[in-house]
Amino acid sequence: MSAHPVVERGARRTRRTALASAVAVLLAAACTAPGSAAAPAPAPTATVSGATPDGTLLVADFGADTVTVVDPERGPVAVVPVGEAPYGLVVGRDGRAWVTTAEGVAVVDTATRTRVALIPYRTDSGPVTDGEYRGGGMGIALAPDGSRAYVGVNVPGTTGVLEVIDTATRRTTGGVAVGRRPFDVDVARDGSEVYVTGHDSFDVTVVATSTLRPRRVEVAPYGTEGGLGSWLKPHYAAVRPSDGMLLLPFEGERLAVVEPRTGRVTVERMTADTHQHGVVATPDGRLLVVGTGAVDPSDGKGPSLTVRAPDGTERVHPLEGPHEDVAVSRDGRTAYVTGGFTRDGYWNGIAVVDLDSGRTHRLPAGSRPLGIAVL
């Protein structure tokens, strides 16, 4: 299929881009200004030590300086201080979590529920602060063998940086310029490349891990009209297990499929008709995508979770209220969708979705939870 920005409802999206461009004069970025929290979730217990069972959830509390340990049945059971405004997180096979904050990358021992290190950024990303446009770490991923952590560092007003951390020594060993506001970082199945999604630059930067040589691939199925003010930008990506293609959903209408080695972009149809953020690919080839709700309520549908099968068929589960990121249980039957959200309307919890029946319920979890992992 063509990657050119001419498909269904094109005129509507052109109007939407024009509207967003006007908003950008005031906001200077997409995804609108920082949100306001819903009623606080019940307070979790204080940080404690002890075994953490398999299947426990860990969420990054973007509205605080902690990560919250969540029992998927009972809710929050512990909090761990990590640093200002944690955004993304990833957990290695050794049970250690690597968490991007405004201050540095926190290393958390999930068994003892303690922070064991805070690795400062080599990049000058400005004052330590919070909110959607804060500097510091955003997307993060681990090499397949766990030897390196790859961190997307946001530098407000300019291009971001991919920093590389040696996980054994906990030292930053290199860095390379990438796109603006690196929402997501993914790694090729063989560890040979890292993919950094540049939200404000309409691109994915493909970085060879052996040389740190970058290569930009534009990913803009609606075009780049509107610049910083456009709503129609890439947010999160997933590597397809079957062939290593990079998958980036847009607006519940288009799935950009990127062949990283050639830079070729094709577009497939999606059906949710909603602004989309978090995404995860399961080992069996399903793609789960978080819908945050229509940018213009009169032009699109509400929040949802799309489950896309390998053959392209989709099941769309409606959700109550905006969400941001998603993780899947080890048995592949349950999705956990964080309510933190990078725009207005965030809430302090997780939507739990039974992927067989579609039944959904809410679970309290932390303070504006964004990134999530299943331990």
Side-chain angles (χ1 to χ4, degrees), residues 193-216:
E193 294 178 329
V194 177
Y195 312 122
V196 185
T197 302
H199 176 269
D200 285 358
S201 46
F202 298 89
D203 60 22
V204 168
T205 303
V206 180
V207 179
T209 57
S210 60
T211 63
L212 294 189
R213 183 174 300 165
R215 177 166 44 88
R216 180 181 184 269

Side-chain angles (χ1 to χ4, degrees), residues 57 280 282 286 288-290 305-307 317 319 325-338 350-356 359-361 372 374:
L57 310 175
V280 66
T282 63
R286 290 173 297 166
L288 276 65
V289 187
V290 180
L305 176 68
T306 292
V307 181
H317 302 280
L319 297 176
D325 206 357
V326 59
V328 182
S329 61
R330 292 189 178 189
D331 63 8
R333 301 181 63 180
T334 307
Y336 304 102
V337 194
T338 58
I350 297 170
V352 182
V353 183
D354 184 309
L355 296 177
D356 294 326
R359 289 191 297 269
T360 301
H361 67 274
I372 182 170
V374 178

Side-chain angles (χ1 to χ4, degrees), residues 81-357:
V82 290
E84 182 76 12
Y87 188 99
L89 57 82
V90 63
V91 179
R93 295 178 183 176
D94 60 1
R96 296 203 166 178
W98 300 76
V99 186
T100 58
T101 79
E103 301 175 45
V105 176
V107 185
V108 174
D109 185 320
T110 61
T112 62
R113 301 172 184 173
T114 56
R115 189 185 81 179
V116 296
L118 181 66
I119 305 166
Y121 302 116
R122 180 180 293 181
T123 303
D124 181 2
S125 56
V128 173
T129 185
D130 58 9
E132 180 184 353
Y133 308 109
R134 69 144 176 80
M138 297 187 75
I140 185 169
L142 289 174
D145 64 2
S147 63
R148 292 173 300 280
Y150 300 101
V151 186
V153 180
N154 178 44
V155 183
T158 187
T159 54
V161 175
L162 179 72
E163 293 195 354
V164 184
I165 296 173
D166 182 308
T167 57
T169 64
R170 299 176 189 166
R171 294 182 181 275
T172 302
T173 60
V176 61
V178 293
R180 296 172 67 114
R181 276 217 288 167
F183 262 53
D184 200 13
V185 177
D186 297 273
V187 180
R189 296 170 298 168
D190 62 2
S192 63
E193 294 178 329
V194 177
Y195 312 122
V196 185
T197 302
H199 176 269
D200 285 358
S201 46
F202 298 89
D203 60 22
V204 168
T205 303
V206 180
V207 179
T209 57
S210 60
T211 63
L212 294 189
R213 183 174 300 165
R215 177 166 44 88
R216 180 181 184 269
V217 178
E218 182 175 286
V219 186
Y222 293 93
T224 60
E225 181 182 354
L228 288 177
S230 173
W231 296 97
L232 309 176
K233 300 175 182 177
H235 290 82
Y236 300 86
V239 176
R240 188 158 61 190
S242 61
D243 58 7
M245 294 290 194
L246 199 63
L247 308 177
L248 297 96
F250 288 77
E251 300 300 300
E253 294 182 338
R254 309 178 194 184
L255 181 68
V257 181
V258 180
E259 206 296 313
R261 298 192 186 280
T262 65
R264 182 172 181 262
V265 181
T266 58
V267 175
E268 299 176 4
R269 181 176 177 267
M270 297 189 74
T271 61
D273 191 16
T274 186
H275 192 61
Q276 289 178 319
H277 278 204
V279 57
V280 66
T282 63
D284 63 4
R286 290 173 297 166
L287 185 71
L288 276 65
V289 187
V290 180
T292 69
V295 173
D296 177 353
S298 67
D299 184 14
K301 299 178 181 178
S304 63
L305 176 68
T306 292
V307 181
R308 184 181 179 89
D311 65 1
T313 59
E314 295 183 347
R315 183 177 181 183
V316 179
H317 302 280
L319 297 176
E320 179 185 350
H323 295 70
E324 183 67 21
D325 206 357
V326 59
V328 182
S329 61
R330 292 189 178 189
D331 63 8
R333 301 181 63 180
T334 307
Y336 304 102
V337 194
T338 58
F341 197 37
T342 56
R343 292 171 50 204
D344 290 336
Y346 62 82
W347 54 284
N348 298 325
I350 297 170
V352 182
V353 183
D354 184 309
L355 296 177
D356 294 326
S357 68

